[in-house]
Amino acid sequence: LMQKDPKLYRILLLEDNPGDALLVQDYLEETIIEPQLSLYTSFEEAKPKLIQNAYDLILLDLTLPDNHGLDLINDILSLARSAPVVVLTGYADLNFSIKSLSYGIADYLIKEDLNATTMYKSIVYNIERNKILVNLKESEKRNSMLFHLSPLPMWVFDTKSLKIIDVNDAAIEHYGYSLEEFKALTIGDLRPASELDRLNATLLDNQENDSFKSRDTWIHRKKNGELIQVDIRSKYVVYEDREARIIVANDISERLNQIQKLELQNRTFKEISWLQSHVVRAPLARMLGLVDVLLDEEISDEDRITCLNHLKTSGQELDKVIFDIVKKAYEVN
């Protein structure tokens, strides 16, 4: 059994489904000795608590009775006091997950795949990452230490030349370049050609924007040519007497791939359901009708043989349909 975490975590849960709320509480109690969980079932109920109190993390269901979707995300982020917001949802929507991450959501967890371990890892990871981001805003001296110790890839680039002037060990390990190779690159070299126009437009916009938040998801290219999708956060700094920006890059490729896989599974399961409810019924109905005819004692031998042949044909057709269903089921695993 995993040893429970003795740290104090102040967590706000916004969830109107009692079953899901109980499940979250059970998961927390499996991994944390005394989780400080505050449960609210509507945005209006939680709003004054968010204004009055500071939380380490917010767990957010996107379908509340009085608010939902991106409007809910914006409202919660405006009250979160820099606390990371982790979305809990029952829907695997790739486009929405990308958009919500760009708004500043820390993580996006699918309820169907949730368990105590994944929830605990997400909570600890996002609380720790959030501490890094907050501390980076507070002091340049603190920036330097956290920069090199951060588990997330980070680098600093000159805002005039766009050349990379420093990177941390996590970036070197994740992207495959050595420190010297990184310092020979510009930030454009980390992107495919299709992203360069967008990069230039974003750099122009950032001249007037000193916020430290997620701008959007980007496509990056590692040294080996692998393309990855990353959530980028940036902040203006003065580094070695130069105007620069510090970058925190969070690789979300695996998470998005999982969402794509879930979407494919959902489509396949719909196809299977359609096969079961429509295609299977035709040969089955014929077989049942033929059985009724065969049960008639007055049927001739010739008609009986004809019925048996039709019964065999329908059975073979049904067997093929079942084979196709089984094949589709294996394809999604």
Side-chain angles (χ1 to χ4, degrees), residues 154-178:
M154 299 176 67
W155 55 84
V156 180
F157 71 90
D158 187 304
T159 56
K160 294 181 179 179
S161 68
L162 304 186
K163 288 187 67 68
I164 296 173
I165 53 182
D166 202 1
V167 298
N168 69 353
D169 291 341
I172 292 170
E173 180 179 357
H174 197 71
Y175 283 77
Y177 295 101
S178 67

Side-chain angles (χ1 to χ4, degrees), residues 9 11 28 57 59 119-127:
Y9 295 100
I11 299 172
L28 292 175
L57 183 128
L59 295 173
M119 174 169 284
Y120 173 73
K121 286 182 177 179
S122 179
I123 289 172
V124 172
Y125 173 84
N126 285 296
I127 288 176

Side-chain angles (χ1 to χ4, degrees), residues 64-82:
L64 298 177
D66 58 347
N67 207 337
H68 66 279
L70 291 176
D71 289 339
L72 175 59
I73 287 175
N74 280 326
D75 290 339
I76 290 296
L77 289 175
S78 69
L79 300 171
R81 294 189 180 186
S82 79

Side-chain angles (χ1 to χ4, degrees), residues 192-226:
S194 59
E195 292 277 89
L196 295 182
D197 287 343
R198 180 172 165 232
L199 173 62
N200 291 331
T202 300
L203 289 171
L204 184 63
D205 175 64
N206 281 351
Q207 290 179 1
E208 304 297 330
N209 184 358
D210 190 32
S211 62
F212 197 89
K213 66 177 184 177
S214 173
R215 296 293 304 170
D216 208 341
T217 55
W218 291 84
I219 298 175
H220 278 188
R221 182 175 55 210
K222 294 184 178 182
K223 181 180 178 180
N224 63 8
E226 178 188 353

Side-chain angles (χ1 to χ4, degrees), residues 266-285:
N266 289 339
R267 289 196 298 269
T268 304
F269 288 142
K270 286 181 180 178
E271 291 177 13
I272 291 173
S273 297
W274 188 88
L275 285 171
Q276 290 175 327
S277 61
H278 295 80
V279 181
V280 171
R281 294 182 64 182
L284 183 60

Side-chain angles (χ1 to χ4, degrees), residues 21-38:
L22 183 60
L23 198 61
V24 168
Q25 184 173 358
D26 288 342
Y27 286 158
L28 292 175
E29 290 175 352
E30 282 185 42
T31 54
I32 301 170
I33 290 179
E34 291 185 10
Q36 303 297 304
L37 183 65
S38 301

Side-chain angles (χ1 to χ4, degrees), residues 222-278:
K222 294 184 178 182
K223 181 180 178 180
N224 63 8
E226 178 188 353
L227 297 180
I228 57 175
Q229 297 189 70
V230 291
D231 170 35
I232 292 295
R233 298 181 180 229
S234 70
K235 169 69 178 173
Y236 170 81
V237 294
V238 175
Y239 191 88
E240 297 178 351
D241 297 325
R242 286 187 279 181
E243 293 184 356
R245 290 191 80 87
I246 187 169
I247 299 295
V248 181
N250 181 22
D251 188 346
I252 59 173
S253 302
E254 183 178 352
R255 183 191 309 146
L256 296 180
N257 287 336
Q258 290 175 345
I259 293 173
Q260 287 177 317
K261 183 179 178 181
L262 285 171
E263 289 180 330
L264 175 60
Q265 288 177 337
N266 289 339
R267 289 196 298 269
T268 304
F269 288 142
K270 286 181 180 178
E271 291 177 13
I272 291 173
S273 297
W274 188 88
L275 285 171
Q276 290 175 327
S277 61
H278 295 80

